[in-house]
Amino acid sequence: MRALLPVLLVTAVTTPAAAQWRQGQQPMAGGPGAMRPGQPMTMDAPPPAADPDRATIDRFAAAYGRAGRPRVALLWNRELTAEVETGREDVSTLTVDGRSSANGEVRETLRRRGSLTTANADADHHVEAELRSTTRALDSGARAAAADEGADFDMERGLADALSGAGVRLIDRTAILRTGALGADTTNVQAIETRALLGKAEWTLEVVAMNDGRWRIVARDLASGQVVARAVSAGRPTPRAMPWVAGEHGFVRATAPDAGPYAVGRQIALDAMKALARR
């Protein structure tokens, strides 16, 4: 141990530059992380992939600017129908023993409950029933959602985020309807909607789920009545080149994940941008 101590001390105080000259090697010019001459080269990290949708967004933004950046009322799962008056319907609701039946089911429920009460009169059977009648407005523009509530919201969010990110001035239909109804006759919702749209938006953009799994896109200029664009979207994002990953027999391409509701909504927005940019 005493013989080795001087050697250890000399090694401990050796400068980094001197250590790099060991065994005839030159010092690393770029510091500790640099490559020595004669060593195999390593590949630089690839640059970040460009957004493949950037060109679509830029073309749309330029066309949208040339059109004067109109305000757009987004009608998600809703149509601007030709109905000029709000329809009404009478609704009867029967509650029997805590269970409700509406309209056509009322008579059948009463018939069945009446028979049951008669048959069980001796058993002192008691039935509690309450019949209510009301009149409600018919919403002719509303369309059924394409998915459950959470997925439907995420699709609408993806659509709105993509449009807003491209510079679109989105107008909320609910907000302009409520504010436009102040001091007005509220029995005709169509009239309120028309006045609100004409006062707050230049275009409408309808996105409606169809029964074949696709979405119908219709953009209208409210002042002229012109259809600005019509398109159909499958809501499927363009496949991307996936990275290589280790597989059972070597490196293979990773499997692309299924598009979630948000990505579907974003793709619908991109398809709408393509159709609008062409016009």
Side-chain angles (χ1 to χ4, degrees), residues 256-272:
D258 294 334
Y262 186 90
V264 170
R266 183 177 186 274
Q267 184 59 45
I268 296 172
L270 290 169
D271 291 335

Side-chain angles (χ1 to χ4, degrees), residues 50-54 56 59 233-242 256-259 263-264 266-268 270-271 274:
D51 183 359
D53 301 319
R54 190 71 256 169
T56 296
R59 281 194 298 269
S233 174
R236 289 193 290 270
T238 304
R240 308 284 191 253
M242 299 302 294
D258 294 334
V264 170
R266 183 177 186 274
Q267 184 59 45
I268 296 172
L270 290 169
D271 291 335
K274 293 176 184 176

Side-chain angles (χ1 to χ4, degrees), residues 39-63:
Q39 297 296 316
M41 296 295 294
T42 58
M43 296 180 64
D44 293 333
D51 183 359
D53 301 319
R54 190 71 256 169
T56 296
I57 296 171
D58 289 344
R59 281 194 298 269
F60 166 78

Side-chain angles (χ1 to χ4, degrees), residues 57-58 74 77 127 131 234:
I57 296 171
D58 289 344
L74 178 60
N77 274 324
V127 177
L131 179 63

Side-chain angles (χ1 to χ4, degrees), residues 42-108:
T42 58
M43 296 180 64
D44 293 333
D51 183 359
D53 301 319
R54 190 71 256 169
T56 296
I57 296 171
D58 289 344
R59 281 194 298 269
F60 166 78
Y64 182 66
R66 290 193 297 270
R69 301 187 69 244
R71 295 170 297 178
V72 180
L74 178 60
L75 306 182
W76 172 254
N77 274 324
R78 173 171 291 278
E79 293 178 290
L80 191 66
T81 67
E83 299 290 336
V84 296
E85 292 185 358
T86 302
R88 296 279 193 271
E89 67 175 350
D90 294 327
V91 180
S92 297
T93 303
L94 176 67
T95 302
V96 180
D97 289 346
R99 301 181 62 182
S100 297
S101 303
N103 284 351
E105 300 177 5
V106 169
R107 181 172 298 179
E108 177 62 19

Side-chain angles (χ1 to χ4, degrees), residues 97-166:
D97 289 346
R99 301 181 62 182
S100 297
S101 303
N103 284 351
E105 300 177 5
V106 169
R107 181 172 298 179
E108 177 62 19
T109 302
L110 284 173
R111 185 190 65 78
R112 289 187 289 102
R113 286 293 181 177
S115 300
L116 182 63
T117 302
T118 302
N120 293 275
D122 296 338
D124 194 23
H125 181 81
H126 179 67
V127 177
E128 293 185 359
E130 181 181 15
L131 179 63
R132 292 184 178 181
S133 297
T134 186
T135 302
R136 68 183 176 190
L138 293 174
D139 190 352
S140 58
R143 295 294 175 263
D148 61 72
E149 184 176 341
D152 190 70
F153 176 78
D154 284 341
M155 282 189 283
E156 182 180 7
R157 186 167 58 92
L159 172 69
D161 285 356
L163 292 172
S164 297

Side-chain angles (χ1 to χ4, degrees), residues 238-261:
T238 304
R240 308 284 191 253
M242 299 302 294
W244 292 95
V245 296
E248 185 178 355
H249 302 292
F251 283 94
V252 295
R253 289 284 187 184
T255 302
D258 294 334

